[in-house]
């Protein structure tokens, strides 16, 4: 193979890496000293290597997350946001980190409406919020890590500098992004960095092609060396500010200077003896908890999976419309998380469910392109971590020479001044990424998560019910065919979804559509831990996932 330069080096194989003739099943993976689960094998192995080098589950999570910005740039980047739930064994407590950033102070809904916009665009500088991920890494490392951040980020820097072979699902997403971006971006100055960084000779990488990004490596080392200070208050912040000013962006160094990832108190509900945990708003993990609250008073554990699936869908619909109406930056919400999680309110919502599909409306509680990973170490510490640019590569804005691909999280704002989630300077939007965690009787069961935008609470609901109600092992819970409510009475199901359940849903008035694109149903990872300290992990069959165990 010829020497690698910045970009992609191709290697020819005599097979189609996208074609599989036979269904395959993954097996459970066990370990005792450490475990990392994520959708990219190289990232999982790097995380496990950090544990073997003396790091803990937190160090492993940061290392894995940083590697994912390199090996899966189609779903996240250095300019991403992140959330984490961290179980520390010595404190016997779960900690929450909100690493999502606010809108720049120089942007407003009024200003965008005056430009003739009716919604926040998906691409360009307008949807770019302050990136929270580098600060998230630094905060996690400072509070709970055992190794220097520079050492933890070095595996990712090496993958970027020395090159890595692109995985099949990443290649597929990369090609889709190029096809979509080319006519949209054209020769706009703010998007030149994306093409220079991720495209070589007008092509996206094939599976097995080697991708190199020296700028990405240099940035990761700068973040590690300065504990992310450079990104927010130093040389990297200056580069971001200068490029934003030069190409018509809203983001300024003053926005970066003012930001730090925030430690928050996780929210929880008890579902049939298990405590299910999520990050509080502005994340929409509360939607999964509200749906479980509604579902808790209903019998779904029998043999009639059609009836059970109908009830789960109806509970999710009612919870989701509440979440989409109320959830935003908690400073702007019209209700509290406690009101939304009230068992009394859940009972009122449950009364709306019948044997037929409903058109959901939000209630009034006052009256009653993402990556996920989980880690565990031999000491009993565990991390549920999620990181995302939002839609694939995000805004399509990459700061030249740095590998910093910026998020498009502001696209989740509305410009409706009467809505709780209306764009405002310094405000955090409704956020779709959510890590999950399960405990029982005050002991950690373990982290879980399902990626995929608005699929995420629905994936959490399905994983929890498969685990608690149907007693599935973690791999079975991830393998199980999924459904997704997309609005009104419309339900999407995977191609292998049981025909009998599909027919039952149609009979009950659901508009069911079978979807060929399996990644739209999310990609999940799970680690459970028993009282003897044995770890059991499972990974998503809809991606290139792996469980790295020790």
């Amino acid at each position: 193979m010829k020497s690698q330069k910045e970009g992609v080096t191709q290697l020819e194989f005599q097979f189609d890496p996208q074609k599989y003739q036979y269904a395959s099943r993954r097996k459970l993976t066990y370990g005792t000293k450490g475990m990392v689960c994520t959708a990219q094998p190289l990232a999982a192995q790097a995380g496990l290597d950090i544990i073997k080098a003396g790091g803990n589950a937190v160090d492993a999570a940061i290392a894995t997350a940083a590697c994912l910005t390199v090996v899966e740039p189609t779903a996240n980047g250095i300019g991403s946001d992140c959330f984490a739930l961290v179980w520390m064994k010595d404190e016997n407590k779960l900690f929450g980190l909100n690493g999502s950033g606010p809108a720049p102070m120089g942007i407003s809904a009024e200003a965008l409406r005056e430009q003739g916009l009716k919604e926040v665009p998906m691409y360009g500088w307008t949807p770019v919020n302050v990136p929270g991920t580098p600060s998230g890494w630094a905060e996690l490392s400072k509070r709970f890590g055992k190794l220097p951040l520079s050492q933890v980020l070095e595996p990712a820097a090496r993958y970027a500098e020395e090159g890595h072979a692109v995985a099949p699902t990443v290649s597929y997403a990369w090609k889709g992004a190029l096809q979509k971006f080319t006519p949209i971006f054209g020769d706009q100055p703010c998007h030149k960095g994306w093409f220079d960084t991720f495209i070589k000779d007008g092509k996206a990488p094939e599976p097995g092609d080697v991708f190199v990004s020296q700028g990405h490596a240099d940035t990761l080392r700068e973040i590690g060396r300065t504990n992310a200070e450079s990104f927010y208050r130093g040389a990297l912040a200056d580069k971001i500010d200068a490029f934003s000013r030069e190409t018509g962006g809203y983001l300024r160094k003053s926005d970066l200077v003012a930001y730090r990832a925030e430690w928050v108190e996780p929210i929880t509900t008890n579902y049939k003896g298990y405590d299910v945990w999520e990050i509080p708003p502005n994340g929409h993990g509360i939607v999964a908890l509200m749906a479980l609250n509604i579902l808790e008073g209903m019998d779904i554990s029998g043999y009639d999976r059609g009836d059970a699936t109908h009830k789960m869908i109806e509970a999710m619909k009612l919870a989701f419309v509440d979440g989409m109406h109320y959830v935003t930056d908690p400073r702007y919400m019209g209700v509290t998380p406690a009101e939304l999680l009230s068992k009394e309110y859940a009972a009122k919502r449950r009364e709306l469910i019948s044997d037929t599909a409903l058109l959901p409306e939000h209630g009034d509680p006052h009256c009653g392109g993402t990556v996920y990973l989980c880690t565990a170490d031999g000491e009993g510490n565990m991390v549920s971590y999620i990181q995302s640019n939002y839609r694939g590569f995000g805004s399509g804005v990459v700061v030249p020479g740095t590998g910093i691909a910026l998020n498009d999280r502001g696209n989740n704002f509305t410009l409706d001044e009467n809505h709780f989630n209306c764009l405002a300077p310094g405000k955090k939007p409704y956020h779709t990424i959510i890590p999950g965690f399960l405990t029982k009787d005050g002991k950690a069961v373990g982290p879980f998560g399902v990626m995929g935008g608005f699929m995420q609470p629905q994936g959490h609901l399905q994983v929890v019910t498969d685990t608690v109600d149907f007693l599935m092992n973690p791999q079975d819970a991830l393998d199980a065919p999924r459904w997704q409510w997309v609005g009104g009475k419309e339900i999407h199901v995977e191609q292998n979804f049981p025909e009998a359940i599909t027919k039952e849903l149609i009979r009950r008035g659901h508009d069911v559509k079978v979807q060929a694109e399996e990644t739209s149903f999310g990609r999940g990872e799970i680690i459970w831990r028993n009282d003897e300290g044995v770890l059991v992990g499972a990974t998503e069959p809809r991606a290139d996932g792996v469980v790295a165990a020790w």
Side-chain angles (χ1 to χ4, degrees):
M1 184 186 297
K2 59 186 178 181
S3 63
Q4 292 136 23
K5 299 179 181 179
E6 190 88 2
V8 175
T9 301
Q10 188 169 8
L11 177 64
E12 294 286 348
F13 285 114
Q14 302 303 311
F15 56 78
D16 184 347
Q18 307 287 6
K19 182 178 180 181
Y20 296 89
Q21 300 182 59
Y22 306 104
S24 65
R25 294 181 61 190
R26 302 186 182 205
K27 302 295 185 182
L28 295 170
T29 301
Y30 289 88
T32 57
K33 296 182 179 179
M35 185 171 286
V36 180
C37 300
T38 195
Q40 293 302 320
L42 295 176
Q45 292 166 25
L48 190 64
D49 286 345
I50 286 293
I51 292 178
K52 291 181 177 180
N56 61 12
V58 175
D59 296 312
I62 300 167
T64 305
C67 286
L68 287 168
T69 70
V70 180
V71 302
E72 196 174 357
T74 54
N76 75 127
I78 297 174
S80 286
D81 283 343
C82 68
F83 290 153
L85 289 168
V86 181
W87 178 269
M88 296 306 293
K89 176 65 174 176
D90 288 347
E91 301 187 52
N92 201 47
K93 183 179 177 181
L94 192 68
F95 298 85
L97 181 74
N98 183 325
S100 68
M105 293 303 294
I107 196 172
S108 68
E110 182 181 12
L112 296 188
R113 289 196 300 267
E114 289 176 354
Q115 296 175 26
L117 295 174
K118 295 184 178 179
E119 59 186 22
V120 181
M122 292 184 187
Y123 306 116
W125 276 110
T126 307
V128 175
N129 283 355
V130 176
T133 285
S135 180
W137 294 344
E139 288 297 318
L140 286 166
S141 178
K142 180 171 63 176
R143 185 166 185 180
F144 295 123
K146 295 175 67 177
L147 301 178
L149 184 60
S150 57
Q151 180 179 348
V152 170
L153 297 188
E154 183 58 27
R158 286 200 304 271
Y159 279 143
E161 183 174 66
E162 299 170 7
H164 78 280
V166 175
T169 57
V170 175
S171 169
Y172 179 80
W174 212 314
K175 291 178 183 178
L178 176 61
Q179 184 178 24
K180 179 171 62 175
F181 289 173
T182 299
I184 297 175
F185 292 172
D187 58 357
Q188 296 179 52
C190 70
H191 294 303
K192 184 179 184 299
W194 186 85
F195 288 101
D196 290 346
T197 302
F198 294 113
I199 302 301
K200 183 178 181 182
D201 299 327
K203 297 179 181 179
E206 298 288 339
D209 285 357
V210 176
F211 176 69
V212 177
S213 179
Q214 184 63 50
H216 201 134
D218 294 342
T219 295
L220 287 168
R221 289 181 174 131
E222 177 80 357
I223 291 171
R225 183 182 63 82
T226 66
N227 290 311
E229 283 298 298
S230 177
F231 191 94
Y232 296 96
R233 286 161 277 277
L236 290 174
D238 290 336
K239 291 181 179 180
I240 296 169
D241 180 276
F243 187 57
S244 178
R245 292 176 186 272
E246 177 187 335
T247 54
Y250 295 91
L251 191 62
R252 297 289 182 265
K253 184 176 181 179
S254 56
D255 297 310
L256 298 168
V257 168
Y259 181 77
R260 288 191 188 277
E262 179 185 6
W263 290 99
V264 295
E265 192 67 30
I267 55 175
T268 186
T269 195
N270 187 276
Y271 181 73
K272 300 180 180 179
Y274 288 83
D275 292 313
V276 187
W277 299 83
E278 302 277 357
I279 292 287
N282 57 313
H284 70 168
I286 195 169
V287 171
L289 301 184
M290 288 190 289
L292 289 168
N293 274 350
I294 295 170
L295 200 60
E296 187 179 33
M298 310 180 84
D299 182 14
I300 65 166
S301 59
Y303 291 101
D304 190 347
R305 289 299 296 264
D307 179 68
T309 303
H310 166 74
K311 291 173 179 175
M312 285 189 278
I313 290 171
E314 297 301 278
M316 179 53 65
K317 287 157 69 172
L318 290 167
F320 232 133
V321 293
D322 276 346
M324 295 178 76
H325 182 73
Y326 291 110
V327 171
T328 185
D329 187 316
R331 297 172 299 167
Y332 294 81
M333 285 176 61
V335 298
T336 66
E339 288 172 318
L340 289 172
L341 290 175
S342 160
K343 297 287 187 180
E344 291 75 21
Y345 181 57
K348 288 183 178 293
R349 300 295 270 163
R350 190 182 306 122
E351 291 174 359
L352 300 175
I353 297 177
S354 67
D355 291 336
T356 58
L358 60 82
L359 283 171
E361 296 180 356
H362 68 82
D364 183 358
H366 292 125
C367 296
T370 302
V371 293
Y372 175 78
L373 64 97
C374 47
T375 63
D377 59 35
E379 300 169 10
N381 307 308
M382 309 177 86
V383 178
S384 182
Y385 182 99
I386 198 160
Q387 179 171 284
S388 176
N389 267 343
Y390 188 31
R391 283 186 169 86
F393 280 98
S395 63
V397 177
V398 178
V399 182
T402 67
I404 300 172
L406 294 166
N407 66 78
D408 61 337
R409 187 54 64 177
N411 177 249
N412 254 1
F413 280 120
T414 177
L415 298 184
D416 179 359
E417 60 186 3
N418 297 314
H419 199 286
F420 294 117
N421 192 43
C422 183
L423 171 64
K427 181 179 179 179
K428 294 183 179 183
Y430 178 111
H431 220 292
T432 59
I433 61 173
I434 55 173
F437 205 93
L438 209 61
T439 64
K440 185 174 176 60
D441 300 327
K443 297 180 180 179
V445 177
F448 69 94
V450 177
M451 301 168 263
F454 292 92
M455 177 65 202
Q456 294 187 46
Q458 306 188 61
H460 282 210
L461 176 77
Q462 291 171 67
V463 165
V464 171
T465 54
D466 283 342
T467 300
V468 176
D469 293 290
F470 302 107
L471 305 180
M472 291 186 184
N473 71 54
Q475 188 59 59
D476 218 18
L478 292 178
D479 289 344
R482 293 184 188 138
W483 51 264
Q484 180 178 187
W485 175 66
V486 296
K489 295 185 179 182
E490 186 173 338
I491 306 297
H492 290 178
V493 298
E494 293 188 279
Q495 286 188 309
N496 61 340
F497 199 79
E499 184 179 3
I501 299 179
T502 298
K503 289 181 175 179
E504 176 71 7
L505 294 176
I506 293 172
R507 187 181 69 80
R508 291 172 180 255
H510 298 277
D511 179 11
V512 182
K513 292 180 171 61
V514 179
Q515 300 294 305
E517 183 54 73
E518 62 182 10
T519 56
S520 67
F521 292 90
R523 301 175 298 160
E525 316 291 339
I526 299 173
I527 298 176
W528 299 149
R529 183 180 188 273
N530 70 11
D531 288 341
E532 285 72 45
V534 174
L535 305 168
V536 57
T539 190
E540 180 59 64
R542 298 164 184 83
D544 304 306
V546 69
V547 179
W550 183 29

